[in-house]
Amino acid sequence: HASRDRHDRAERAWAQALALCPDDLTSLEGRADAQRALGRLDALAETLLELADLQDPERRSACLREVVQLREQTNDLAGAIATLTRLEAEEPAEEIAERLDSLLARAERFEELEGRLRARAADLDDESAECVATELRRGQILLDPLARQELALFMLAADSGFSPADFHLLIQLV
């Protein structure tokens, strides 16, 4: 109990210091440490976002990655997606893109995910296995969660060189 009380007082003291000087890294880091010790995850995520804005790229990346973890931990998928989107813009990496895709699927934001996959496929060689896999994943997203079977089949048929007659046969099979 005493330890919690000390962390609570420390968090308030850091907040007061930040009221006087909002861009003080030491105060932001101290407040984040106190919030972490107190388990105040939502407040910690906000403090880390403030801290990220003042950091060099490497430390900013670490702050943003922690915010994503906290947002996922508190089931704030929209916040995690927003933070990952920011991280991806600053630091494009396959690992970040895959994690963002996964969160979009978990949040059932299938239209955004399909758009990302469409853009990714457009940047790939049409004959590559990666492009085919991306288009198949995109087709699955269009078929399953959105229940837009005709659009998905049309997209897959057009990419495969099917004629309009073949397309209508596919529709009848579904």
XYZ file of all heavy atoms in Angstrom, residues 1-18 27 30-31 33-35 37-38 40:
218
model
N 0.828 -1.194 0.000
C 0.000 0.000 0.000
C 0.872 1.258 0.000
O 0.591 2.220 -0.709
C -0.953 -0.026 1.181
C -1.834 1.188 1.272
N -2.854 1.423 0.385
C -1.824 2.242 2.135
C -3.445 2.569 0.698
N -2.847 3.077 1.754
N 1.923 1.236 0.790
C 2.815 2.404 0.872
C 3.490 2.663 -0.464
O 3.645 3.812 -0.878
C 3.854 2.191 1.969
N 3.882 1.606 -1.128
C 4.529 1.753 -2.429
C 3.573 2.384 -3.440
O 3.957 3.276 -4.196
C 4.990 0.384 -2.932
O 5.506 0.499 -4.230
N 2.341 1.931 -3.425
C 1.335 2.499 -4.338
C 1.125 3.982 -4.043
O 1.030 4.792 -4.956
C 0.022 1.731 -4.230
C -1.053 2.260 -5.151
C -2.245 1.314 -5.237
N -3.285 1.858 -6.049
C -3.303 1.897 -7.377
N -2.293 1.419 -8.049
N -4.315 2.409 -8.035
N 1.074 4.311 -2.774
C 0.887 5.708 -2.379
C 2.065 6.567 -2.851
O 1.867 7.682 -3.339
C 0.727 5.796 -0.858
C 0.347 7.191 -0.411
O -0.604 7.760 -1.000
O 1.009 7.715 0.506
N 3.287 6.048 -2.734
C 4.462 6.785 -3.203
C 4.393 7.016 -4.715
O 4.688 8.105 -5.194
C 5.748 6.025 -2.860
C 6.268 6.306 -1.476
C 7.720 5.866 -1.297
N 8.099 4.632 -1.944
C 8.015 3.423 -1.396
N 7.546 3.280 -0.175
N 8.405 2.361 -2.050
N 4.001 5.988 -5.470
C 3.882 6.122 -6.925
C 2.777 7.112 -7.295
O 2.930 7.887 -8.243
C 3.622 4.763 -7.592
C 4.802 3.854 -7.572
N 5.980 4.156 -8.207
C 4.978 2.657 -6.993
C 6.844 3.170 -8.018
N 6.262 2.246 -7.288
N 1.702 7.075 -6.538
C 0.599 7.999 -6.799
C 1.041 9.447 -6.562
O 0.765 10.335 -7.375
C -0.600 7.639 -5.908
C -1.889 8.270 -6.399
O -2.118 8.271 -7.623
O -2.658 8.759 -5.548
N 1.743 9.683 -5.464
C 2.260 11.029 -5.181
C 3.282 11.447 -6.236
O 3.300 12.600 -6.670
C 2.858 11.086 -3.778
C 1.813 11.117 -2.678
C 2.422 11.493 -1.334
N 3.677 10.779 -1.096
C 3.857 9.872 -0.142
N 2.879 9.578 0.676
N 5.013 9.273 0.013
N 4.117 10.507 -6.645
C 5.125 10.808 -7.671
C 4.445 11.184 -8.985
O 4.852 12.150 -9.643
C 6.050 9.614 -7.875
N 3.405 10.459 -9.332
C 2.693 10.748 -10.590
C 2.095 12.148 -10.538
O 2.173 12.909 -11.497
C 1.611 9.694 -10.837
C 1.131 9.621 -12.273
C -0.003 10.576 -12.589
O -0.741 10.946 -11.645
O -0.142 10.959 -13.758
N 1.526 12.525 -9.411
C 0.965 13.874 -9.257
C 2.056 14.941 -9.329
O 1.874 16.000 -9.933
C 0.166 13.979 -7.954
C -1.197 13.292 -8.024
C -2.110 13.697 -6.863
N -1.503 13.541 -5.540
C -1.567 12.443 -4.789
N -2.232 11.391 -5.243
N -0.995 12.395 -3.609
N 3.204 14.656 -8.722
C 4.317 15.617 -8.759
C 4.815 15.806 -10.196
O 5.081 16.934 -10.629
C 5.454 15.139 -7.858
N 4.927 14.707 -10.940
C 5.364 14.815 -12.343
C 4.321 15.590 -13.152
O 4.676 16.384 -14.023
C 5.601 13.443 -12.957
C 6.800 12.710 -12.413
C 6.799 11.495 -11.790
C 8.168 13.126 -12.451
N 8.071 11.143 -11.437
C 8.938 12.135 -11.838
C 8.815 14.270 -12.934
C 10.326 12.225 -11.694
C 10.195 14.361 -12.799
C 10.933 13.345 -12.187
N 3.058 15.385 -12.861
C 1.999 16.119 -13.569
C 2.111 17.614 -13.294
O 1.929 18.436 -14.201
C 0.625 15.589 -13.154
N 2.413 17.968 -12.049
C 2.578 19.383 -11.712
C 3.789 19.979 -12.440
O 3.735 21.102 -12.941
C 2.727 19.561 -10.203
C 1.449 19.305 -9.454
C 1.649 19.322 -7.934
O 2.772 19.191 -7.439
N 0.547 19.466 -7.206
N 4.866 19.215 -12.517
C 6.056 19.688 -13.227
C 5.743 19.879 -14.705
O 6.188 20.857 -15.323
C 7.200 18.689 -13.056
N 4.947 18.984 -15.257
C 4.577 19.093 -16.680
C 3.647 20.267 -16.935
O 3.640 20.830 -18.026
C 3.941 17.784 -17.159
C 4.939 16.647 -17.359
C 4.215 15.319 -17.506
C 5.831 16.920 -18.555
N 10.393 14.871 -16.856
C 9.081 14.817 -16.202
C 8.158 13.824 -16.894
O 7.434 13.075 -16.226
C 8.437 16.207 -16.194
O 9.212 17.104 -15.441
N 9.369 10.353 -15.984
C 9.016 10.066 -14.592
C 7.537 9.762 -14.438
O 7.141 8.827 -13.732
N 6.709 10.554 -15.117
C 5.263 10.318 -15.051
C 4.911 8.961 -15.659
O 4.088 8.224 -15.111
C 4.514 11.439 -15.769
C 3.024 11.346 -15.565
C 2.314 12.527 -16.155
N 0.943 12.562 -15.672
C 0.016 13.342 -16.170
N 0.301 14.181 -17.146
N -1.194 13.321 -15.679
N 6.835 6.320 -15.817
C 7.264 5.278 -14.868
C 6.254 5.112 -13.735
O 5.922 3.988 -13.340
C 8.649 5.610 -14.296
C 9.759 5.451 -15.324
O 9.551 4.761 -16.351
O 10.844 6.029 -15.094
N 5.767 6.228 -13.199
C 4.782 6.160 -12.111
C 3.479 5.534 -12.604
O 2.891 4.687 -11.917
C 4.534 7.557 -11.550
N 3.015 5.929 -13.782
C 1.779 5.360 -14.332
C 1.938 3.869 -14.612
O 1.014 3.090 -14.380
C 1.375 6.107 -15.613
C 0.910 7.514 -15.348
C 0.790 8.354 -16.604
O 1.450 8.107 -17.610
N -0.063 9.377 -16.540
N 3.938 1.808 -12.973
C 3.936 1.143 -11.663
C 2.533 1.054 -11.083
O 2.199 0.094 -10.390
C 4.863 1.886 -10.700
N 1.703 2.052 -11.369
C 0.338 2.074 -10.859
C -0.637 1.274 -11.721
O -1.787 1.079 -11.341
C -0.156 3.529 -10.746
C 0.528 4.365 -9.677
C 0.240 5.851 -9.890
C 0.081 3.908 -8.293
N -1.830 2.211 -14.608
C -2.740 3.135 -15.306
C -2.406 3.119 -16.804
O -1.748 4.028 -17.324
C -2.621 4.537 -14.722
C -3.087 4.602 -13.289
C -2.978 5.991 -12.722
N -3.398 5.990 -11.324
C -3.056 6.908 -10.449
N -2.300 7.926 -10.824
N -3.472 6.826 -9.202
